[in-house]
């Protein structure tokens, strides 16, 4: 299991472009998103193993994080902005998961807790990277968590509900990390194409 | 009719009475009123209260509302409270949320009961108004080993599929239309995140459940409060059992009612600190499963545990060092303290205790020079000592060096004037510093010159040769000193013997190895002024041996020698020397083995026959191969697979004589043996033969017996000669010779015909029944014989002849010459020559086969029976001239038979003279034929033409010496 800080693994993951340039930043963002996707998947495995969850469970009720684009056929930049917004909600969700789990189980130090911390930091860093990639004078991007961790999970109390909700949040993280990797790759490809032209 | 009316009246009356009584009972036993319910969902308990009047016994009925299943129906006795209410606390096995329950109560008095009260319903969560999928109990914490019942309420309109606890499917009971329950028994402690219990609907998304936490109530021991500074308190305790509960369910603690921030120490120890000391301390711990408390009462002065000393430092000399330290708290300056200093060297660890008010230093004595030490300090209160505080950090120091002690010196002298000065390397701590060099000095009190040699610190021996010492010197002394950075050691001197006096081998005593050592003891020697030296070495060593030694005081008379270098099967010498101002004197010597082994090699064995005995002798086993004290030799007879002991001999014997063995081959094995057993044995073989004298005796005896037998036979023959003569040599009349044969008339020149054919010629003067054979050449046969011309000529074979008798003798055939028959048999195979006698009635006494003169010696001939065949061959036949039959007949008759019999082999009677080369050629042409195998078969004897009387007369004239030969010949088949 990779426990390296995000800064170190980022160097490993960046495969295209030069730092500072548009394509270089996009490449770094792609690598970061892919790394985040792998870590989210691993975190999900650790969670399922830790709480002995029924692994065939398919949550009903659709996505926790759902966003609609401004137009029916959004551009890649618009898709990245939507993705950025979704990642902010994901950051809020993982933040909420950490709060609720520590409230329930206390502050523990295990593989799951370590990876959970990694994912949280990696997600923050990806948001900063995306912001740097997309922010212009007209477009101001926030990187703070977009989730109020106040209501009961899924409207019901209980540790079992917390486990199920955490499972849904981790699935959501896996989904949006994958989505971010694909979207950012699309952006990187377009910018490379532009640079070549 | 009247009767029926009466009966009806009677029945009606009884009915009225019964109904009246029943109505009376109901009026007398009041129905419980004001029934109410109060539930506790966490404990799954329902408190039922009612007003029952004077009654104390009630029937309580609890039903599941939907399915009307009875959950509880019992008669209970409860006393009314002051308010007139009766209460009963009922605990449900299932969570109360699972389904709605109906409660009814009635009073009972003996067998009489009141009516049921009105039904009170405790509403469950499975009502149609609540369509959610639910599971109960939620997040409950139960002690390990308990049982629990879960229930699932499926969503409205959904279907139930299964219930699972952890990963195991559990059978369920239906409680209501939407509620299913399952019970799990004997719960195991859950992991920190609880056990999952969940229900599945028909789809994967329909999943809902609860988590159950299974653990233990708090338990702890060894609750103690101490102080470091006489003001504050540090309390700690041990949790021998984990509760298996985390987070909000973990155990929480308070001391004297104040929450404490627990510090987790090692080995399940926990600690909590408070700024002020209190005399009484109470620790309380609690979790959802219960609470536990311990108390501790102590005066602050009796619980002082000083903090570890800080800033340790040392000042070291060669044999002592001073350790100093500082205190973090000023409280200790006036506090009587006891401190423990742990001193650690490379192989030792000691604790030394010091005390004093506000102690800050300690002096460590009796240290070794030039030694590495580590030291650490801990302290406790000198008064009301409670326990030692923690150890300080460890520091290291090294003591200074000092001059070495005197080296341990000894010597080894060879048989001559050479030897070695030896000294032992310094043991640890004896050199007092690193040895720089050794100085060895040889000197004599009678001589002012000194010979000093400086050697490296790795050298521990120096060869000496005393041959150059002046003869005026009465003694030579060797002195050795060691040098280290601190200076020279005191010298160690040793007198060297100018003449080596060794002990006899018989004076050597055997010593046993017991309890890991050789125990040696001796009588005190008056000349020993400075003790004794015991040296030991391997007995097999002769020169410059690696000797070991120890020196003991003069009061010592016994010592046990131990050494890691001792090996089993090796003989060691132990020598005791006296120590005096003169050279050491050898007093005694021992020899011994740590463990004897069987000899590693065998004797060299030899055997020798001495007359009819066998002498076995062998050589000694080399001493290094004996590996033990030889006890003797065992002599075995070795038959290959088994050894038969013949003798067991002492070590003084090295031969053994085996007696009484019959002639034949023997193998002997001799094994030397020690207390550990025999060696593999030496083996030698010998073949025991009869001696030459006996052989000569046997030959002479045989010859004597033979001679005696001959004499007896001769004597008997002589005595019985007449009988012998008549039996074996009857009288034979002498032939009548017409003229004097002794005088030859000339050379008999008979030229044989190269081609012979026997013609039967009618002889008028002979009996007509008799015919004569005439040799007739047969060209066909010659031609046939040409075909094998290249074959080797077998001169044994006669010329191809065929004899055709006109008159066949009917007498039976008796073969007389097996050799000829054999020859004819082979002739049959070749098909070359076939001589057949079908019957000859003519006189055959002179009839022989002609043979070539050159091959006559090998030519097989048929001779008359009167010759007996004992001559072992054929004699050449005289060729009768065909023109003079009479002459030929006469000539053949005139040939003396006795002469022919005496010939003893082939002897030509004439030299064949070939008249012409043609004849010679003709003869040569016959050679192949002559060399051909010949088959001879006879149906008649070839009888001489003479009468038997004449033959008898002729034999009578034979030499007497041939009678025995003839006798033997006639006995042949």
């Amino acid at each position: 299991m990779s426990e390296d800080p995000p800064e170190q693994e980022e160097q490993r993951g960046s495969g295209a472009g030069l730092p500072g340039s548009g394509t270089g930043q996009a490449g770094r963002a792609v690598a970061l998103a892919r790394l985040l996707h792998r870590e989210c998947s691993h975190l999900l495995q650790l969670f399922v193993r830790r709480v002995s969850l029924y692994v065939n469970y398919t949550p009903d009720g659709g996505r926790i994080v759902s966003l609609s684009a401004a137009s029916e056929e959004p551009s890649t930049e618009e898709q990245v902005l939507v993705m950025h917004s979704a990642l902010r909600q994901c950051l809020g969700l993982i933040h909420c998961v950490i709060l609720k789990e520590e409230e329930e189980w206390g502050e523990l130090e295990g593989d799951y807790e370590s990876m959970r911390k990694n994912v949280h930091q990696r997600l923050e860093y990806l948001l900063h990277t995306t912001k740097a990639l997309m922010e212009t004078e007209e477009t101001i991007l926030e990187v703070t968590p977009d989730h109020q961790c106040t209501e009961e999970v899924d409207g019901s109390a209980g540790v079992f509900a917390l486990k199920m909700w955490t499972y849904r949040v981790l699935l959501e993280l896996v989904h949006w990390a994958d989505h971010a990797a694909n979207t950012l790759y699309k952006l990187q490809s377009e910018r490379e194409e532009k640079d070549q032209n | 009719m009247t009767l029926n009316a009466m009966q009806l009246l009677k029945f009606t009356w009884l009915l009225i009475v019964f109904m009246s009584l029943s109505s009376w009972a109901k009026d007398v036993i009041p129905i419980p009123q004001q029934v109410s319910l109060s539930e506790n969902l966490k404990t799954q308990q329902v408190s039922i209260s009612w007003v029952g009047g004077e009654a104390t016994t009630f029937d309580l009925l609890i039903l599941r509302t939907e399915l009307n299943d009875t959950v509880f129906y019992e008669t209970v006795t409860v006393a009314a409270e002051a308010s007139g209410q009766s209460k009963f606390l009922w605990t449900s096995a299932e969570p109360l949320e699972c389904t709605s329950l109906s409660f009814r109560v009635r009073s009972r008095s003996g067998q009489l009961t009141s009516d049921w009260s009105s039904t009170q319903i405790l509403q469950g969560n499975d009502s149609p108004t609540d369509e959610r999928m639910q599971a109960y109990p939620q997040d409950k914490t139960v002690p390990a080993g308990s049982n629990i019942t879960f229930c699932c309420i499926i969503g409205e309109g959904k279907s139930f599929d299964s219930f699972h606890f952890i990963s195991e499917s559990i059978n369920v009971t239906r409680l209501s239309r939407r509620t299913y329950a399952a019970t799990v028994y004997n719960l195991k402690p859950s992991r920190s995140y609880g056990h999952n219990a969940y229900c599945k609907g028909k789809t994967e998304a329909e999943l809902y459940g609860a988590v159950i936490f299974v653990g233990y109530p708090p338990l702890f021991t060894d609750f103690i409060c101490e102080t470091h500074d006489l003001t504050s308190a540090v309390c700690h305790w041990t949790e021998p059992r984990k509760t298996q509960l985390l987070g909000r369910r973990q155990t929480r603690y308070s001391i004297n009612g104040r929450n404490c921030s627990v510090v987790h120490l090692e080995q399940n120890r926990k600690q909590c600190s408070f700024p002020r000391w209190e005399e009484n301390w109470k620790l309380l711990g609690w979790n959802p499963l219960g609470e536990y408390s311990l108390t501790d009462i102590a005066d602050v002065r009796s619980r002082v545990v000083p903090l570890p000393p800080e800033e340790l430092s040392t000042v070291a000399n060669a044999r002592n060092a001073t350790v100093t330290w500082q205190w973090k708290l000023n409280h200790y300056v006036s506090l009587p303290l006891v401190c423990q200093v742990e001193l650690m060297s490379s192989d030792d660890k000691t604790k030394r205790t010091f005390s004093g008010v506000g102690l800050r230093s300690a002096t460590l004595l009796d240290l070794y020079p030039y030694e590495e030490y580590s030291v650490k300090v801990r302290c406790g209160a000198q008064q009301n000592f409670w326990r030692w505080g923690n150890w300080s950090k460890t520091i290291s120091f090294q003591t200074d060096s000092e001059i070495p002690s005197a080296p341990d010196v000894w010597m080894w002298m060879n048989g001559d004037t050479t030897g070695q000065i030896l000294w032992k390397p310094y043991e640890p701590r004896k050199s007092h510093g690193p040895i720089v060099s050794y100085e060895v000095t040889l000197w004599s009190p009678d001589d002012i010159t000194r010979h000093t040699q400086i050697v490296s610190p790795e050298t521990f021996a120096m060869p000496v040769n005393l041959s150059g010492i002046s003869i005026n010197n009465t003694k030579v002394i060797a002195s050795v000193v060691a040098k280290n950075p601190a200076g020279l050691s005191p010298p160690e001197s040793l007198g060297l013997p100018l003449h080596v006096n060794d002990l006899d081998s018989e004076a050597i005593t055997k010593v046993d190895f017991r309890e890991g050592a050789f125990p040696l003891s001796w009588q005190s020697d008056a000349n020993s002024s400075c003790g004794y030296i015991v040296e030991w070495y391997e007995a097999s060593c002769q020169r410059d041996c690696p000797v070991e030694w120890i020196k003991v005081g003069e009061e010592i008379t016994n010592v046990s020698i131990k050494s890691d270098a001792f090996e089993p099967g090796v003989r060691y010498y132990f020598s005791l020397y006296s120590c005096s101002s003169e050279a050491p004197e050898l007093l005694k010597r021992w020899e011994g083995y740590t463990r004897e082994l069987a000899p590693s090699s065998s004797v060299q064995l030899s055997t020798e026959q001495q007359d009819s005995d066998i002498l076995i002798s062998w050589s000694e086993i080399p001493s290094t191969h004996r590996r033990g004290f030889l006890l003797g030799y065992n002599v075995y007879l070795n038959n290959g697979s088994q050894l038969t002991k013949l003798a067991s001999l002492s070590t003084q014997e090295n031969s053994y004589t085996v007696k009484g063995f019959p002639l034949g081959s023997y193998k002997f094995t001799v094994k030397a043996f020690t207390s550990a057993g025999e060696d593999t044995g030496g083996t030698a073989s010998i073949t025991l033969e009869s001696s030459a004298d006996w052989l000569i005796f046997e030959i002479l005896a045989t010859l004597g017996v033979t001679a005696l037998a001959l004499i007896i036979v001769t004597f008997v023959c002589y005595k019985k000669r007449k009988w012998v003569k008549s039996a074996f040599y009857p009288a034979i009349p002498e032939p009548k010779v017409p003229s004097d044969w002794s005088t030859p008339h000339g050379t008999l020149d008979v030229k044989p015909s190269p081609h012979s054919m026997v013609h039967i010629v009618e002889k008028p003067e002979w009996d007509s029944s008799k015919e004569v054979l005439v040799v007739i050449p047969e060209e066909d046969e010659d031609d046939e014989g040409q075909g094998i011309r290249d074959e080797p000529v077998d001169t044994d074979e006669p010329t191809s002849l065929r004899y055709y008798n006109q008159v066949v003798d009917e007498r039976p055939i008796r073969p007389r010459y097996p050799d000829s028959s054999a020859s004819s048999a082979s002739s049959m195979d070749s098909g070359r020559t076939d001589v057949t006698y079908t019957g000859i009635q003519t006189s055959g006494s002179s009839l022989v086969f002609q043979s070539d003169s050159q091959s006559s010696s090998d030519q097989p001939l048929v001779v008359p029976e009167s010759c007996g065949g004992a001559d072992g061959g054929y004699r050449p036949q005289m060729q009768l001239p065909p023109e003079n039959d009479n002459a030929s007949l006469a000539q053949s008759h005139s040939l003396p038979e006795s002469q022919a019999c005496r010939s003893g082999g082939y002897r030509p009677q004439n030299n064949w003279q070939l008249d012409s080369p043609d004849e010679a050629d003709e003869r040569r042409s016959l050679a192949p034929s002559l060399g051909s195998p010949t088959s001879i078969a006879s149906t008649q004897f070839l009888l001489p033409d003479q009468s038997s009387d004449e033959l008898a007369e002729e034999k009578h004239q034979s030499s007497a010496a041939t009678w025995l030969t003839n006798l033997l010949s006639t006995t042949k088949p």
Side-chain angles (χ1 to χ4, degrees), chain B residues 241-508:
Chain B
R241 181 184 66 189
K242 288 187 176 180
T243 62
Q244 305 289 345
L245 302 174
L246 284 181
R248 64 176 75 208
R249 294 164 197 84
Q250 70 181 354
T251 304
R252 301 179 188 281
Y253 299 93
S254 70
I255 293 180
N256 288 354
R258 294 188 293 273
N259 289 336
C260 67
S261 301
V262 175
V263 176
H264 297 265
L265 306 176
E266 74 284 357
Q267 297 177 337
N268 297 326
R269 288 186 62 79
K270 300 181 189 304
Q271 177 180 294
C272 201
S273 300
F274 293 93
R276 290 283 171 192
W277 182 266
E278 298 177 22
E279 298 295 321
N280 299 323
W281 300 94
K282 180 181 180 183
L283 170 68
L284 176 66
W286 69 97
N287 70 9
L289 296 178
E291 62 180 36
Y292 192 78
S293 66
L294 286 175
T295 58
D296 183 34
I297 302 172
D299 181 74
V300 65
R301 287 167 295 185
S302 64
R303 293 292 176 87
V304 176
V305 179
L307 291 172
E310 296 180 339
E311 302 177 28
L312 262 66
S313 62
T314 57
V315 176
N317 300 312
R319 299 213 175 241
N320 59 65
T322 301
V323 184
T324 58
W325 59 87
Q326 300 296 325
W327 291 113
K328 187 178 181 181
L329 299 175
N330 291 327
H331 299 80
Y332 301 154
V333 173
S334 57
L335 184 68
L337 293 170
V338 55
C339 292
Q340 204 170 42
V341 179
E342 184 176 89
L343 189 66
M344 292 162 286
S345 60
S346 57
D347 60 347
D348 195 20
K349 183 194 290 185
T350 58
K351 289 188 178 73
R352 304 185 186 190
T353 304
F354 305 87
S355 60
V357 177
L359 194 64
R360 289 189 179 186
S361 67
T363 300
L364 306 171
L365 303 176
D366 300 329
L367 304 182
Y368 293 108
Y370 201 72
E371 181 82 2
E372 287 276 353
Y373 289 99
S374 296
V375 67
K376 60 183 180 180
V377 183
R378 64 179 180 181
C379 297
Q382 190 174 13
Q383 299 169 351
N384 302 314
F385 179 82
W386 168 242
R387 71 173 179 90
W388 291 111
N390 291 336
W391 284 107
S392 68
K393 291 181 180 176
T394 301
I395 63 166
S396 299
F397 65 94
Q398 186 182 44
T399 51
D400 294 340
S401 57
E402 197 177 62
I403 61 167
S405 57
D408 190 353
V409 180
W410 183 234
M411 61 166 180
W412 168 266
M413 297 304 293
N414 299 314
D416 49 18
T417 56
T418 63
Q420 293 184 98
I421 304 298
L422 308 164
W423 58 95
K424 291 182 180 177
Y426 277 101
E427 294 176 359
R429 297 170 182 151
K430 291 291 179 65
S431 66
H432 304 162
I435 296 296
V436 177
S437 62
Y438 292 99
E439 293 181 11
V440 183
T441 303
L442 290 179
W443 56 283
S444 172
D446 308 323
D447 195 348
I448 59 171
T449 58
R450 289 173 172 251
H451 304 279
T452 300
Q453 190 166 352
I454 299 174
V455 297
S456 69
E458 293 80 24
T459 303
F460 304 105
M462 197 183 79
V464 293
N465 190 345
L466 304 182
S467 61
I469 300 296
S470 170
I471 57 173
N472 296 325
N473 294 335
T474 55
K475 77 177 176 182
V476 176
I477 297 173
S479 296
V480 181
V481 296
K483 184 179 182 182
N484 73 1
L488 291 172
S489 70
E492 177 72 6
S493 299
L494 182 72
L496 302 181
L498 297 177
H499 304 286
V500 176
N501 297 320
D502 209 349
L503 293 175
D504 294 337
S505 59
E506 296 176 354
I508 299 175

Side-chain angles (χ1 to χ4, degrees), chain B residues 951-968:
Chain B
L951 287 172
E953 184 64 21
E954 182 178 307
K955 287 184 179 175
H956 180 70
Q957 298 298 323
S958 298
S959 168
T962 59
W963 70 271
L964 185 58
T965 304
N966 290 334
L967 171 64
L968 297 174

Side-chain angles (χ1 to χ4, degrees), chain B residues 670-747:
Chain B
V670 174
K671 296 183 176 183
F673 62 95
T674 66
S675 63
E678 297 176 325
D679 63 21
T680 54
T683 300
S685 301
I686 189 172
T687 301
L688 190 61
E689 297 172 339
S690 59
S691 63
D693 296 343
W694 179 252
L695 186 63
I696 293 170
F697 172 76
E698 284 182 337
I699 292 171
L700 291 177
T702 305
L703 289 174
V705 169
T706 305
L708 182 63
L710 285 174
I711 291 169
I712 293 171
V713 168
T714 305
F715 179 76
V716 170
C717 288
Y718 176 74
K719 286 292 186 182
K720 300 291 182 180
R721 60 185 178 279
K722 289 184 179 179
W723 176 81
V724 169
K725 181 181 178 184
S726 61
F728 299 104
Y729 201 75
I732 301 171
E734 284 286 332
K736 293 180 179 178
V737 180
S739 61
D740 186 8
W741 286 78
S742 60
T743 305
H745 297 286
T747 302

Side-chain angles (χ1 to χ4, degrees), chain B residues 726-944:
Chain B
S726 61
F728 299 104
Y729 201 75
I732 301 171
E734 284 286 332
K736 293 180 179 178
V737 180
S739 61
D740 186 8
W741 286 78
S742 60
T743 305
H745 297 286
T747 302
L748 180 60
D749 188 11
V750 180
K751 182 175 69 177
S753 171
H755 297 85
S756 299
M757 179 175 291
V758 179
H759 293 271
I760 300 174
V761 182
E762 290 293 333
K763 187 178 177 184
E765 61 271 31
W766 283 49
D767 188 354
S768 60
S769 63
K770 296 183 179 178
E771 294 155 0
V772 66
L773 295 177
V774 177
V775 177
I776 302 170
E778 287 185 356
E779 296 300 331
D780 293 340
E781 295 297 321
D782 284 347
D783 294 340
E784 194 176 347
Q786 295 296 326
I788 56 168
R789 187 167 299 162
D790 295 335
E791 294 291 328
V793 176
D794 185 358
T795 54
D796 289 344
E797 296 180 1
T799 308
S800 176
L801 298 174
R802 284 180 181 173
Y803 299 90
Y804 301 95
N805 280 356
Q806 292 175 341
V807 178
V808 176
D809 191 346
E810 296 299 330
R811 290 177 296 178
I813 298 172
R814 184 165 68 95
R816 300 300 300 258
Y817 300 102
D819 293 342
S820 297
S821 300
S823 178
S824 68
S826 60
S827 176
M828 288 289 285
D829 292 338
S830 66
R832 289 295 158 211
T833 306
D834 190 3
V835 179
T836 305
Y837 297 95
T838 56
I840 299 174
Q841 291 180 325
T842 56
S843 173
S845 61
S846 62
L847 182 61
V848 294
F849 290 103
Q850 180 185 352
S851 173
D852 184 83
S853 61
Q854 293 176 348
S855 60
S856 61
S857 61
D858 297 331
Q859 188 80 14
L861 296 174
V862 178
V863 296
E865 188 180 3
S866 60
C867 281
D871 294 341
Y874 304 96
R875 283 182 292 177
Q877 180 183 10
M878 294 291 291
Q879 177 67 37
L880 297 176
E883 60 275 6
N884 190 357
D885 293 337
N886 292 333
S888 65
L889 284 172
Q891 206 167 24
S892 68
H893 284 294
S894 65
L895 191 65
E897 285 291 328
S898 61
Q899 190 177 359
C901 290
R902 285 193 300 268
S903 64
Y906 298 102
R907 186 173 58 189
Q909 293 179 338
N910 254 321
N911 292 328
W912 300 105
Q913 300 295 327
L914 299 179
D915 294 336
S916 65
D918 293 337
E919 288 180 353
D921 292 339
E922 211 171 341
R923 291 284 302 164
R924 279 192 293 273
S925 67
L926 285 174
S929 173
L930 289 171
S932 300
T934 303
S935 176
I936 299 171
S938 176
T939 57
Q940 283 188 335
F941 292 107
L942 297 177
L943 298 176

Side-chain angles (χ1 to χ4, degrees), chain B residues 408-411 475 477 491-496 522 524-534 549-557 576-585 587:
Chain B
D408 190 353
V409 180
W410 183 234
M411 61 166 180
K475 77 177 176 182
I477 297 173
E492 177 72 6
S493 299
L494 182 72
L496 302 181
W522 58 89
S524 179
D525 183 66
N527 295 327
S528 177
S529 58
C530 54
Y532 302 92
I533 301 103
V534 179
W549 70 93
I550 59 167
K551 293 179 178 177
V552 297
E554 58 190 89
E555 73 282 2
I556 303 295
T557 57
L576 174 70
Y577 290 88
S578 65
C579 173
S580 64
S581 58
E582 302 299 324
E585 182 183 355
L587 300 178

